[in-house]
Amino acid sequence: MPFAYGQTFKDALSKLKREGRYRVFADIVRQRGAFPTAVHHTQNAAKPITVWCSNDYLCMGQHPKVLAAMQEAIHVAGAGSGGTRNISGTHHFHVELENELADLHGKETALLFTSGYVSNDATLSTLARMLPGCIFFSDELNHASMIEGMRHSGAEKRIYRHNDMTHLEELLRAAPPNAPKIVCFEGVYSMEGDFGKVREICDLAERYGAMTYLDEVHGVGLYGPRGGGVAERDGQMHRVDIVEGTLAKAFGVMGGYITGTSAIIDCVRSFASGFIFTTSLPPAIAAGALAAVRHLKSSTAEREGLAERAGRLKGLLGGRNVPVMDSPSHIVPVLVGDAALCKIVSDELLYEHGLYVQPINFPTVPRGTERLRITPSPLHTNAQMDELVAAIDIVWTSLRLRRAA
Ligand SMILES: Cc1ncc(COP(=O)(O)O)c(C=O)c1O
């Protein structure tokens, strides 16, 4: 009997559907100048909705300076970059953006990638291959891209309980003292909304001779006086060896990067397959990101607006006993605790109330902790917020979902 290829794929999908974890993408068109609204396309209709789960946290994806820079770059340089960085694909926009990012993080050099995912995967896999006997120490909630990078390196990995410094120290102490070590962690854990312990991790890394690798994907643009991230806010930037970030969230465009010493960054540039063998970002993307990074270095209005909006939303939801998870950051996670229910809640909000909040299920979060992940922005109005809170209250009541104590 030949192998049942078709059935194998169908079975895998059926299992996902049974568990309520099958991903359905909402087909939307964002409305420039009318953030956070969009038009939702279904088979029979196109309806206006309000988006409550965008990672364009500061609305920079529609900022006039960003759009003007992108339009100008297309005008000057055309659409694509035309090659890998090594073969005709290094544009002046890339060089300027790398300089700007190195400055943002107070590091010697920066290197761009096509996404934050690729930057983590390419950098971690390359670093550990260059350090014989290297051991990774990884927070259990680290993002999939870091996990893949560590796996691709083939290096040993020890996982410490989320933000548990006692556990991290135990693992560091137990490792051979002269083995190269890299502690990998995040500035903001995007599904929990809590902060990484940058200072404590740097203390431990110093004590045990480890390098530090900090993913600031959900922190850059958002924290610190110039938007350098949680490490900047905490005055720890100079102690972190490699800071990784994205241009796709607070900076509103797309792409990823790392910053660090010239020697480290030059090694990644010279040896990382995920950097070398792929076409570079289009010039317009780099130009848009450059405008966003520059703007957020000096403008604090967006950061302050977001903090105020997130605080108000948490207060309103808490006031209705909706189980908002404890999150000190701009992210507002609401616990549902069941994959199928989480999807139903999200569908009701979208189809009955025109409010888009994507369900977050396993493997993005552990089973039993399925949640809505609400991301307010500086541009969500009081009226839009009141509408969301009222709709969530209705859905919670109609589905008899667990309320906060
Ligand atoms: C913590 C973290 N790191 C890296 C990434 C990947 O970034 P990008 O979307 O730029 O690929 C994400 C994406 O959501 C993330 O949450």
Side-chain angles (χ1 to χ4, degrees):
M1 274 257 286
F3 189 81
Y5 294 102
Q7 198 53 44
T8 303
F9 297 126
K10 282 183 194 154
D11 288 349
L13 292 172
S14 304
K15 181 167 180 284
L16 270 188
K17 286 180 186 165
R18 270 199 311 280
E19 291 175 6
R21 296 195 293 119
Y22 182 69
R23 289 167 194 238
V24 180
F25 301 150
D27 171 358
I28 66 169
V29 178
R30 302 207 296 166
Q31 304 296 292
R32 181 171 62 84
F35 194 101
T37 63
V39 172
H40 180 216
H41 290 262
T42 55
Q43 244 174 1
N44 324 313
K47 286 194 181 151
I49 56 165
T50 307
V51 180
W52 280 101
C53 55
S54 174
N55 281 337
D56 188 356
Y57 294 126
L58 298 177
C59 327
M60 292 306 290
Q62 301 189 358
H63 194 285
K65 283 188 189 170
V66 174
L67 301 191
M70 293 182 77
Q71 278 159 355
E72 172 68 10
I74 288 185
H75 189 66
V76 169
S81 76
T84 64
R85 285 292 293 272
N86 191 39
I87 305 179
S88 93
T90 294
H91 286 251
H92 193 56
F93 295 109
H94 297 129
V95 177
E96 274 192 294
L97 179 54
E98 285 173 340
N99 290 338
E100 200 71 44
L101 291 166
D103 172 77
L104 176 66
H105 295 289
K107 302 290 180 201
E108 289 172 8
T109 321
L111 189 69
L112 288 171
F113 296 81
T114 44
S115 74
Y117 187 104
V118 173
S119 50
N120 275 334
D121 187 15
T123 304
L124 290 176
S125 58
T126 304
L127 281 182
R129 268 192 248 119
M130 303 196 68
L131 298 167
C134 176
I135 305 172
F136 282 116
F137 296 81
S138 176
D139 188 289
E140 67 177 332
L141 293 189
N142 276 342
H143 188 256
S145 52
M146 275 196 273
I147 296 171
E148 285 303 315
M150 292 183 247
R151 183 180 298 156
H152 289 154
S153 75
E156 199 182 316
K157 179 175 74 168
R158 304 196 179 156
I159 299 172
Y160 62 92
R161 286 187 295 275
H162 176 52
N163 263 345
D164 183 337
M165 295 301 103
T166 309
H167 193 206
L168 173 58
E169 178 155 23
E170 268 170 35
L171 296 179
L172 284 166
R173 198 185 301 120
N178 50 3
K181 305 173 186 73
I182 307 176
V183 182
C184 297
F185 64 113
E186 298 185 18
V188 178
Y189 287 86
S190 72
M191 296 299 149
E192 311 299 305
D194 60 346
F195 295 110
K197 297 188 174 175
V198 185
R199 182 188 303 273
E200 290 91 330
I201 288 178
C202 289
D203 288 347
L204 286 177
E206 262 168 34
R207 197 169 309 145
Y208 292 93
M211 285 178 68
T212 43
Y213 183 95
L214 171 59
D215 174 319
E216 284 268 29
V217 159
H218 297 275
V220 287
L222 297 157
Y223 296 94
R226 298 197 309 158
V230 176
E232 185 193 29
R233 183 199 69 179
D234 294 354
Q236 301 299 304
M237 192 72 90
H238 59 291
R239 301 180 73 200
V240 179
D241 291 303
I242 299 167
V243 177
E244 180 270 347
T246 186
L247 305 167
K249 301 190 197 285
F251 296 130
V253 194
M254 83 171 288
Y257 65 90
I258 54 168
T259 63
T261 62
S262 304
I264 294 175
I265 303 301
D266 206 13
C267 272
V268 177
R269 187 184 73 90
S270 306
F271 294 105
S273 177
F275 172 79
I276 298 171
F277 297 107
T278 189
T279 300
S280 61
L281 289 171
I285 299 282
L290 182 61
V293 173
R294 281 184 178 155
H295 177 79
L296 289 174
K297 272 184 182 171
S298 57
S299 171
T300 57
E302 293 81 2
R303 285 188 276 283
E304 285 158 9
L306 176 60
E308 184 280 324
R309 295 284 80 190
R312 182 174 190 270
L313 181 59
K314 288 175 198 169
L316 290 177
L317 289 168
R320 304 253 190 153
N321 292 335
V322 172
V324 180
M325 297 167 72
D326 187 21
S327 153
S329 73
H330 59 285
I331 294 162
V332 185
V334 174
L335 186 67
V336 178
D338 177 89
L341 271 178
C342 201
K343 172 87 174 74
I344 295 170
V345 172
S346 168
D347 282 350
E348 288 211 3
L349 288 173
L350 183 59
Y351 293 101
E352 304 298 325
H353 301 274
L355 303 169
Y356 177 30
V357 193
Q358 190 69 21
I360 307 289
N361 289 338
F362 178 82
T364 310
V365 295
R367 288 180 211 270
T369 71
E370 291 82 0
R371 66 198 68 171
L372 301 179
R373 176 180 179 272
I374 306 174
T375 51
S377 76
L379 294 191
H380 283 89
T381 63
N382 281 352
Q384 286 167 331
M385 215 175 264
D386 295 344
E387 185 192 18
L388 173 74
V389 172
I392 288 180
D393 201 20
I394 291 170
V395 174
W396 241 252
T397 302
S398 73
L399 295 173
R400 298 206 180 117
L401 296 178
R402 204 168 54 78
R403 298 269 177 177

